[in-house]
Amino acid sequence: MSTALGLDGMTHKLKRAATIATAVSTLTLLFGADGSSAFARDNELAEAALAVKATEPTAPVAFVSNEVTQEIPADYEEEEAEVFDASSLGDLVAQQPHLTELSREMQCLAGAIYFESRGESLDGQLAVGRVIVGRAKSGRFPNSYCGVVYQRSQFSFVRGGRMPAIRYGSHAWKRAVAIAQIAHEGTWKSEVDGALFFHARYVNPRWRLTRLAQVGNHVFYK
C-alpha cells in the first residue's frame, strides 16, 4: 500500500516537472534573454525593412487625368463675327448698325470724316478715314484716332483744340459714322490704303512723297 502511494507520488512529480519545462520553453520563445518580447523584435525588424525599402529607387508613376466633360447648356448660342455681304461700298454703308453712342476714339474718327469730306463721295470719305487709321497704326504719328486728329497743324477744321459743332441728326453725320466703322474695321478696301498724307487738289505743297491717287477733291500720298 505504501509502495503504490510512493509510485503515484513520483508519477505526479514527474508530470508536474514536465509541465513546468513546457512552460519554460514557451516563455523562452516569447521572450529573449534580455526580457524583450519576440513580437516586439519582429515589429522592429519589419520597420527596419520598410525603412530600407523606402530608400530604394522606384520607377516614376504616371499621373493620368480623367477627361472632364461638361454638357453645353441647351440655350447656348455661339457668337459669330458679323459678316457683311455687300456688292458696293454703298451697300456696306447701308448695312452698318446705327450707333447712337460712340466711344471717344470713334467720335474723333467720324468727326474728321464729317468735317474733312462730308461733301465727297463714299470712296472719298473712306479714303480720308483710312489715312487717320493708318496714321494711328504707323508709329510715326500719335497712336490713337483722337491723337491724330488733334495733332497740332494737321487738320484745318480743328481750332483751339476743338471740333466745331456737329449736326448729329443729319444724314451726313450718320453716313460719316458708318464710314468710320468701315475704315476702322477695314471691311472695304480703299485704293489709297497705306496713305499717310493728303491735301486738297487745288493746292500744290510740292511734297517729296509717293503719290498714290486722287479721290474726289483730295490727293493722297505715302
Side-chain angles (χ1 to χ4, degrees), residues 30-221:
L30 293 176
F31 296 91
D34 58 354
S36 61
S37 169
F39 291 120
R41 289 202 305 274
D42 288 343
N43 287 337
E44 291 175 358
L45 291 174
E47 290 176 358
L50 290 175
V52 171
K53 187 175 182 180
T55 61
E56 295 178 353
T58 57
V61 179
F63 176 78
V64 180
S65 175
N66 294 328
E67 183 179 0
V68 179
T69 58
Q70 183 176 359
E71 294 184 359
I72 298 176
D75 59 349
Y76 173 82
E77 293 184 2
E78 185 177 359
E79 293 186 3
E80 296 183 357
E82 189 171 5
V83 177
F84 298 102
D85 183 15
S87 59
S88 68
L89 181 55
D91 287 341
L92 188 57
V93 167
Q95 293 177 29
Q96 297 305 302
H98 177 62
L99 302 179
T100 56
E101 294 185 6
L102 296 176
S103 67
R104 184 171 182 271
E105 288 297 295
M106 291 303 292
Q107 178 82 17
C108 289
L109 179 57
I113 294 170
Y114 176 81
F115 286 113
E116 194 69 34
S117 61
R118 66 176 180 268
E120 298 282 324
S121 66
L122 294 178
D123 289 327
Q125 293 185 51
L126 179 60
V128 169
R130 291 300 297 170
V131 167
I132 296 169
V133 172
R135 283 191 173 193
K137 294 180 177 180
S138 69
R140 299 169 57 184
F141 295 87
N143 62 357
S144 67
Y145 298 155
C146 291
V148 168
V149 171
Y150 287 106
Q151 187 177 14
R152 186 174 180 180
S153 302
Q154 296 299 308
F155 291 91
S156 60
F157 62 84
V158 176
R159 297 182 180 179
R162 302 181 64 180
M163 284 189 188
I166 297 173
R167 293 178 57 194
Y168 291 110
S170 66
H171 177 70
W173 171 247
K174 294 176 182 178
R175 187 171 59 180
V177 170
I179 290 291
Q181 294 175 68
I182 296 169
H184 170 69
E185 296 168 359
T187 49
W188 191 266
K189 183 174 176 59
S190 172
E191 61 182 303
V192 300
D193 280 350
L196 296 178
F197 306 90
F198 66 87
H199 63 74
R201 62 182 178 85
Y202 52 81
V203 299
N204 186 12
R206 299 184 183 278
W207 291 340
R208 293 183 179 180
L209 300 171
T210 301
R211 174 172 167 157
L212 294 179
Q214 177 179 328
V215 184
N217 291 322
H218 293 98
V219 183
F220 297 83
Y221 301 80

